Amino acid sequence: MAVNFPSIDPAQLHPVAGVTLGWAEGHIRKPNRKDVLVISLDEGATVAGVFTANRFCAAPVIVCREHLAKVQASGGIRALVINTGNANAGTGEPGLADARATCAELARLTGLRAEQILPFSTGVILEPLPVDRVKAALPDALAHRDAANWYLGAQSIMTTDTLPKAVSAQVTIDGHTVTMTGISKGAGMIRPNMATMLGFLAIDAKLAQPVLDEMVKYVADRSFNCITIDGDTSTNDSFIIMASGRASLPAITSTADPAYVALRDAVTATAQSLSQLIVRDGEGATKFITVKVEGGADVAECRRIAYSIAHSPLVKTAFFASDPNLGRILCAVGYAGIDDLDVSRTDLYLDEVLVAKGGGRNPDYREEDGQRVMKQAEITVRLRLGRGEAEATIWTCDLSHDYVSINADYRS
Amino acid sequence: MAVNFPSIDPAQLHPVAGVTLGWAEGHIRKPNRKDVLVISLDEGATVAGVFTANRFCAAPVIVCREHLAKVQASGGIRALVINTGNANAGTGEPGLADARATCAELARLTGLRAEQILPFSTGVILEPLPVDRVKAALPDALAHRDAANWYLGAQSIMTTDTLPKAVSAQVTIDGHTVTMTGISKGAGMIRPNMATMLGFLAIDAKLAQPVLDEMVKYVADRSFNCITIDGDTSTNDSFIIMASGRASLPAITSTADPAYVALRDAVTATAQSLSQLIVRDGEGATKFITVKVEGGADVAECRRIAYSIAHSPLVKTAFFASDPNLGRILCAVGYAGIDDLDVSRTDLYLDEVLVAKGGGRNPDYREEDGQRVMKQAEITVRLRLGRGEAEATIWTCDLSHDYVSINADYRS
């Protein structure tokens, strides 16, 4: 069902020195599936993250923020623990206690302090976390730790995902090879606002904490914050970059360092691929749609219009049907809330086909040209506003029968 | 498929003195269906309307606004002409010329001025209006004019509607009977922002133009502006109130008149029923959902949260599945964009069942209670914010397989 989802060879996912992954079958919601993952970091790593803007954020998100706030004093983050099957969201004080208890148990088993551990959960909201089962799975996860486990790690964090998601790359900076490998999960409730459901990316470069803090925001804004499946911003969105510091590249202590820019751009490209995998495996997705809005007065209005198009159920069903019913796109532009939008300066392209010019149908537009593009599995909607120089790009998918089936059946 | 859609007896729709309706088969998009309607008003009527906030508003909306702006100078609105099958939106200058030509032709046939006519279109966007076919249908529509034609009128404005929509009522004010009858259409692309796809409501009371101008906004804000099916604000939304002035009730010339308040409230109730018919016949709808947000700091934030719940595809599919996966509702509350929302003061009710209390699961909540309510055809989601005294109510429906089917097939 996934759209042009690349075949991932587990052997091609580079280990990242200083990082190991261990999984367990914790029977959190269903038996006989990997649903607990521990990522361990050697001493000296730096870690930074961005999290959901949802006000009903999950208990583990609150604990992650607390632990990252005291990261310098606590000696640095040394482990991440992730469970699927239960989001530990909408669970109030008991949920917070469960997230803390999970960290405490992993700390006890590893000799770390609880503050050196970041907890993550994903699954059903508003149900108590079966914390005893999570804790019981930890010894098994620790026993399975291996630097070559990235693919198994990607499998261990899946919920409604049909395929594990991982991307790996190497880049040479100043003659030094830097390795980066990441995993992500998510297929529905996807409209990240800070990060996606869950994304974990490790690099072996050494980055000072303030530099990594800045990089994680930069990267998230150009990757996980640019995807949407159904417009639902999850309670648990988290995107984490771990820098193990084991590469030979000298430590990066300033964002003014040219090596920073080179590394940041390489990490951004990897994170974009990783985030696009989520769209390609979007619930029921049959098309991968790029929505590019150009010529806006600022990036915010370009993003607003792009999301208005990407969230319209009518636009999404037209893509599903391969029906060039493209007036629906103009309609979604019109209600995006840009009060001073002059539609007579607006052009709409479908790939290279000019559909609407100056706010009306292009006289030269032929239905068969639109039809040809609509039949493709990958389509770019390009809107030119004629208001300025800003632009924004969003990646999304169509709305199909299977989306309804999957979400009507999710808990059964 | 429609949800508790009341049976409408054409004979129970009261004629409104001074108002006639005439239909025609114009073959605008498909043969052998009523797709052109003319509503004629006797001299002395007042007319007011509200229209879509979509920046890509249709050509007829632009012409309606122009004609209403000069209504006093032109001698008053005397006819409405409506076509289905083509929205005349995204059609630029040629579309405007077509809307004007339709008015001019009807003016020629009736001896009115073009400015005394309001044009309306609904159907596919971005395709040229077949204006010659609309014009050619007008003599037939005029020949069919009859005060008893409200049900046929409701049929003549349907697109993806499965049922004609009409509501009629009589109210006694100061001993005088006032009659009101309205029709509406719409089933998808429904998230009116000023009014709905199309709603026309006639009353036989006499109202001064400024009074009617105020009433139409008041009524729309409490009826058509409170419904949503898919969140898509149409290019053609229009809601019109016509006051023929033929009732024995003395003319209302001030909103301070107690008769104004009585009439306004009666018209609001009728318009609410009319707008709710659109939700009950929503594309693929199997449930009628009332979302009530209470205890907000202001009405705007209550509406924002209510729409966030009502538009969430995950919430809507859970209703379709009768699955009390109610964490999805809290999630939608959390991403509604109320940055200072204190979720620990939030309570969630499903009908009378207290699901979440103080931002977490109510310890006394039992899944079977949620399940029982979720199986009903009509469900009220009630959210208490604990921030103030404001409240807002939105009516919506679920998201089913049939919504996808209908919108993937609409043009075929």
Side-chain angles (χ1 to χ4, degrees), chain A residues 123-140:
Chain A
V124 178
I125 300 170
L126 205 61
E127 294 189 6
L129 181 73
V131 64
D132 290 339
R133 295 208 286 277
V134 176
K135 283 157 63 177
L138 296 177
D140 228 26

Side-chain angles (χ1 to χ4, degrees), chain B residues 5-313:
Chain B
F5 198 96
S7 159
I8 298 172
D9 176 359
Q12 299 295 313
L13 299 174
H14 306 288
V16 179
V19 183
T20 59
L21 302 91
W23 55 270
E25 294 184 355
H27 314 286
I28 303 304
R29 185 168 187 83
K30 293 179 179 164
N32 307 319
R33 57 184 287 171
K34 301 181 189 70
D35 52 13
V36 172
L37 178 68
V38 172
I39 304 179
S40 299
L41 303 167
D42 288 356
E43 205 170 341
T46 47
V47 174
V50 286
F51 301 91
T52 184
N54 194 308
R55 292 297 303 164
F56 265 100
C57 70
V61 169
I62 295 171
V63 174
C64 275
R65 288 191 175 119
E66 284 176 6
H67 289 188
L68 283 171
K70 35 186 169 181
V71 63
Q72 309 270 19
S74 69
I77 300 299
R78 295 286 305 284
L80 284 61
V81 52
I82 305 118
N83 74 271
T84 70
N86 184 300
N88 195 6
T91 45
E93 285 298 329
L96 266 177
D98 287 343
R100 292 190 214 287
T102 304
C103 295
E105 177 65 6
L106 185 56
R108 190 182 70 77
L109 292 168
T110 52
L112 298 170
R113 284 194 293 279
E115 292 77 18
Q116 296 183 286
I117 295 162
L118 299 181
F120 304 86
S121 298
T122 175
V124 178
I125 300 169
L126 206 63
E127 294 189 7
L129 181 73
V131 65
D132 291 338
R133 295 209 285 278
V134 177
K135 283 156 63 174
L138 297 177
D140 229 26
L142 292 172
H144 282 133
R145 273 182 294 185
D146 195 305
N149 268 352
W150 283 97
Y151 194 77
L152 290 167
Q155 288 182 320
S156 304
I157 61 175
M158 291 165 65
T159 54
T160 58
D161 308 63
T162 69
L163 293 164
K165 299 174 178 68
V167 173
S168 191
Q170 287 185 320
V171 59
T172 303
I173 299 175
D174 300 338
H176 303 274
T177 298
V178 175
T179 298
M180 58 192 75
T181 301
I183 57 176
S184 64
K185 65 81 53 182
M189 201 176 270
I190 298 289
R191 190 283 200 223
N193 183 2
M194 284 317 283
T196 187
M197 273 296 265
L198 296 178
F200 304 101
L201 201 159
I203 52 181
D204 58 2
K206 189 166 191 66
L207 287 103
Q209 188 69 41
V211 175
L212 193 61
D213 288 344
E214 182 147 334
M215 183 191 279
V216 74
K217 291 191 192 79
Y218 181 96
V219 172
D221 276 346
R222 286 156 184 81
S223 56
F224 291 97
N225 279 349
C226 298
I227 64 172
T228 185
I229 289 176
D230 47 18
D232 281 281
T233 301
S234 155
T235 49
N236 293 56
D237 293 340
S238 306
F239 172 55
I240 301 290
I241 301 181
M242 301 160 272
S244 71
R246 297 281 286 273
S248 55
L249 183 74
I252 299 175
T253 56
S254 161
T255 55
D257 185 340
Y260 169 76
V261 177
L263 182 59
R264 181 198 70 187
D265 291 348
V267 171
T268 300
T270 298
Q272 283 177 343
S273 297
L274 203 51
S275 65
Q276 289 173 4
L277 292 184
I278 289 176
V279 177
R280 291 184 189 286
D281 192 27
E283 288 171 347
T286 74
K287 302 273 173 79
F288 181 89
I289 314 293
T290 300
V291 182
K292 189 166 188 187
V293 178
E294 303 173 344
D298 54 47
V299 171
E301 73 175 27
C302 293
R303 287 176 67 93
R304 192 163 176 173
I305 290 173
Y307 276 121
S308 190
I309 296 169
H311 290 156
S312 161

Side-chain angles (χ1 to χ4, degrees), chain A residues 356-378:
Chain A
K357 194 163 85 171
R361 189 187 176 102
N362 168 21
D364 297 333
Y365 169 68
R366 297 175 312 159
E367 177 99 357
E368 59 258 43
D369 293 332
Q371 183 64 73
R372 176 176 47 77
V373 179
M374 288 299 274
K375 282 186 174 156
Q376 299 167 184
E378 307 229 358

Side-chain angles (χ1 to χ4, degrees), chain A residues 54-56 90 126 230 232-233 312-314 321 323 325 328 330-331 334-335 341 361 367 401 405 407-408 411, chain B residues 54-56 126 230 232-233 312-314 321 323 325 328 330-331 334-335 341 361 367 401 405 407-408 411:
Chain A
N54 194 309
R55 293 296 302 164
F56 265 99
L126 205 61
D230 47 18
D232 281 280
T233 300
S312 161
L314 290 170
D323 178 7
N325 194 343
R328 292 177 176 179
L330 294 188
C331 179
Y335 67 71
L341 183 69
R361 189 187 176 102
E367 177 99 357
H401 285 294
S405 296
N407 284 296
R411 296 206 318 171
Chain B
N54 194 308
R55 292 297 303 164
F56 265 100
L126 206 63
D230 47 18
D232 281 281
T233 301
S312 161
L314 290 170
D323 178 7
N325 194 343
R328 292 177 176 179
L330 294 187
C331 179
Y335 67 71
L341 183 69
R361 188 186 176 103
E367 176 99 358
H401 285 294
S405 297
N407 285 297
R411 296 206 318 171

Side-chain angles (χ1 to χ4, degrees), chain A residues 50-61:
Chain A
V50 285
F51 300 91
T52 184
N54 194 309
R55 293 296 302 164
F56 265 99
C57 70
V61 169

